[in-house]
Amino acid sequence: MSEQTRPPLSNQDVESSYDEYMMPIWKSLDVPIKRAEGCYVEDYDGNEYLDVFSGISVTNAGHGHEEMVDAAHEQLDEYIHGCSYLHPSKPVSDLAEKLAEVTPGDLKKSFFCNSGTEAVEGAVKLARKYTGSKEIVALEMGFHGRTLGSLALTGNKSYKSEMAPTLNDVAHAAPPYAYRCQMCDGGPCSTACADDIERVIDTHTADDLAAVVVEPVMGEAGLVTPPEGWLSKVQSAAHERDALLIVDEVQTGYGRTGEMWGVDHYGVVPDIMPQAKGIANGLPLGAFTAREEVADAFESGDHLSTFGGNPVACAAAGATIDALQGGIVDNAREQGEWLGEELNALESEYDVVGEARGLGLMRGLELVHPDGDTGPMDVASEPAPKLAKKVNDHLREEQIIMGLGGFHKNVMRFQPPLTISQAQLEESVEALRDAFDAVSA
């Protein structure tokens, strides 16, 4: 059959091929994508969807951002691969210099890899090398990746079932989950969850602490947003024990929270900062950036990545950062403030919305059973994951792609391209309101 007479691909064709040749994967949104531009994606059947999830918070500059695509094309015409850890590469050094300029405080030297998971694991290796210690404290409900090492840091059994992690020297402390906090007795937040990190260090470690690893906003936990002062207390707990603070900016970085970095909201400069997702607007790239003194603990050969620092991805990342700083982060801040107010209104309007939370364009709605059992401290209603799935399915039928996650699988996730307009956000909020009405009926 010639190309001219071959029938066009359909959604069913792509889905059938996935089922036959791909290992089982999570296809929760189940929209086969043929093309994408800006805040929209199109499937093989010609349906167009408003995307307010951006591939799990990746295409921060919008799908197919022109300057990013042009930069990648220009580098493709020069060369694609030379292994940046064997051959010096201008796109790589340019990006490293740019990161030294845009990352917080005295963070200066970077290591490039392929993903957020690799960035986190590399940061842990660096912390161990610098401190000479081995133990790590992370957070319950935290998420740092799906490889065996990063799973040891992740505080959620649903990611670990039947796959034992390889890092044994990891302890977990309470998350800053104010809505379901068991430490403040339903009263004003006392940041007691930060004090719990000190308790865990003192009771669950062997005085060999290398680092504390946290997220500025806990994405996979359900957009859990720490209270003021929490991150500073965590940093103090680490530094008082000669350990480092690793802040995982994989999901929060590159303008997602309305600032370039999540830590910018809290006035804290980490010792090592893993990044990925939005760094190259969809091309595979990760990095971890550290203070010079810490970074220089690595000796040649201590860490390596064959594809890390790919020049095409690095060229795209440089153009992405320029675009973000050219007004996109400002738009994220402005639209995020508007969206926050709208989601707070939904919390007041619907009993099924337990809490609206987040920063910038990283916002979540936790859905609950309004007549269900209350939480342990009578601070929250029973999680409603089945209801959330129905809402998510209704939105997809209305051609809105929205994330669904959280520790209890009951949080609607707004993480759109940061180029999104208020009109597009209004469309998604109204669709969410319609979904709540429909599933209630």
Side-chain angles (χ1 to χ4, degrees):
M1 186 181 292
S2 69
E3 290 297 324
Q4 288 77 17
T5 59
R6 188 185 302 276
L9 284 175
S10 68
N11 286 348
Q12 183 59 47
D13 293 331
V14 177
E15 290 168 353
S16 296
S17 181
Y18 254 61
D19 292 339
E20 185 169 359
Y21 298 109
M22 292 283 289
M23 293 185 188
I25 58 172
W26 186 43
K27 295 187 298 179
S28 65
L29 296 175
D30 216 13
V31 176
I33 296 178
K34 182 179 181 180
R35 61 173 57 90
E37 182 177 358
C39 295
Y40 293 95
V41 302
E42 181 183 330
D43 68 16
Y44 287 85
D45 293 343
N47 302 303
E48 187 177 73
Y49 299 79
L50 176 61
D51 180 10
V52 292
F53 198 37
S54 56
I56 316 183
S57 197
V58 169
T59 52
N60 288 8
H63 293 287
H65 189 278
E66 185 175 1
E67 285 79 7
M68 171 263 178
V69 172
D70 289 346
H73 280 169
E74 289 176 14
Q75 183 56 42
L76 279 168
D77 290 337
E78 297 296 326
Y79 68 97
I80 297 172
H81 174 74
C83 187
S84 62
Y85 295 104
L86 292 179
H87 306 286
S89 171
K90 188 68 162 56
V92 178
S93 62
D94 284 350
L95 179 58
E97 183 177 353
K98 192 180 291 285
L99 287 183
E101 295 170 356
V102 303
T103 49
D106 56 354
L107 298 181
K108 182 177 182 181
K109 292 190 174 183
S110 294
F111 185 102
F112 294 113
C113 50
N114 303 285
S115 67
T117 297
E118 291 175 65
V120 170
E121 290 202 12
V124 169
K125 285 182 67 176
L126 178 58
R128 286 178 158 189
K129 184 69 186 291
Y130 175 75
T131 62
S133 299
K134 296 293 186 289
E135 295 178 310
I136 307 294
V137 169
L139 296 184
E140 297 167 355
M141 301 188 186
F143 180 83
H144 302 284
R146 292 177 182 262
T147 59
L148 291 178
S150 59
L151 274 178
L153 304 176
T154 293
N156 187 335
K157 71 175 183 179
S158 65
Y159 296 117
K160 300 182 181 187
S161 179
E162 299 180 282
M163 295 170 284
T166 58
L167 289 177
N168 296 319
D169 300 320
V170 178
H172 289 85
Y177 194 179
Y179 182 61
R180 298 187 182 278
C181 181
Q182 298 183 36
M183 297 184 174
C184 296
D185 259 353
C189 179
S190 65
T191 65
C193 47
D195 297 332
D196 190 60
I197 289 180
E198 297 201 49
R199 181 192 66 80
V200 168
I201 293 172
D202 293 340
T203 59
H204 290 269
T205 69
D207 199 25
D208 192 36
L209 186 66
V212 177
V213 183
V214 299
E215 305 160 81
V217 177
M218 300 176 69
E220 302 307 303
L223 294 301
V224 171
T225 308
E228 281 293 327
W230 176 85
L231 192 55
S232 296
K233 293 181 74 170
V234 171
Q235 183 177 52
S236 296
H239 286 178
E240 286 169 5
R241 292 160 177 82
D242 297 322
L244 301 183
L245 175 65
I246 299 174
V247 177
D248 180 346
E249 290 269 7
V250 168
Q251 197 164 150
T252 50
Y254 296 93
R256 173 55 56 191
T257 66
E259 299 290 345
M260 191 64 179
W261 310 103
V263 293
D264 291 341
H265 293 274
Y266 304 105
V268 169
V269 177
D271 301 297
I272 312 175
M273 196 170 77
Q275 312 132 53
K277 290 194 180 288
I279 187 173
N281 207 48
L283 287 182
L285 184 65
F288 54 99
T289 306
R291 293 189 287 112
E292 185 169 15
E293 175 190 6
V294 175
D296 287 346
F298 265 173
E299 299 174 85
S300 179
D302 276 350
H303 199 47
L304 191 64
S305 173
T306 299
F307 296 107
N310 173 271
V312 178
C314 286
T320 297
I321 292 171
D322 289 343
L324 291 172
Q325 293 191 308
I328 292 177
V329 177
D330 293 335
N331 185 68
R333 184 184 309 114
E334 178 182 342
Q335 300 304 334
E337 290 175 359
W338 180 89
L339 179 61
E341 293 175 359
E342 292 296 305
L343 298 186
N344 286 338
L346 289 180
E347 180 184 338
S348 299
E349 185 176 346
Y350 290 94
D351 289 342
V352 295
V353 180
E355 184 181 51
R357 55 179 177 255
L359 294 170
L361 287 175
M362 189 174 184
R363 301 276 176 176
L365 288 178
E366 177 157 356
L367 304 191
V368 297
H369 293 291
D371 55 350
D373 297 330
T374 55
M377 303 299 291
D378 294 334
V379 294
S381 294
E382 180 184 355
K386 291 182 180 179
L387 174 67
K389 180 65 166 59
K390 289 180 180 179
V391 169
N392 195 242
D393 290 344
H394 187 276
L395 289 170
R396 188 174 67 250
E397 291 170 2
E398 297 301 316
Q399 296 175 212
I400 304 287
I401 296 175
M402 187 176 294
L404 170 61
F407 184 82
H408 301 288
K409 307 294 188 292
N410 66 324
V411 177
M412 309 306 301
R413 296 172 60 173
F414 276 86
Q415 293 170 275
L418 307 184
T419 54
I420 198 166
S421 68
Q422 184 171 317
Q424 290 167 328
L425 285 175
E426 286 175 350
E427 179 183 350
S428 63
V429 171
E430 286 308 306
L432 191 57
R433 181 175 277 108
D434 291 343
F436 288 154
D437 291 338
V439 299
S440 297

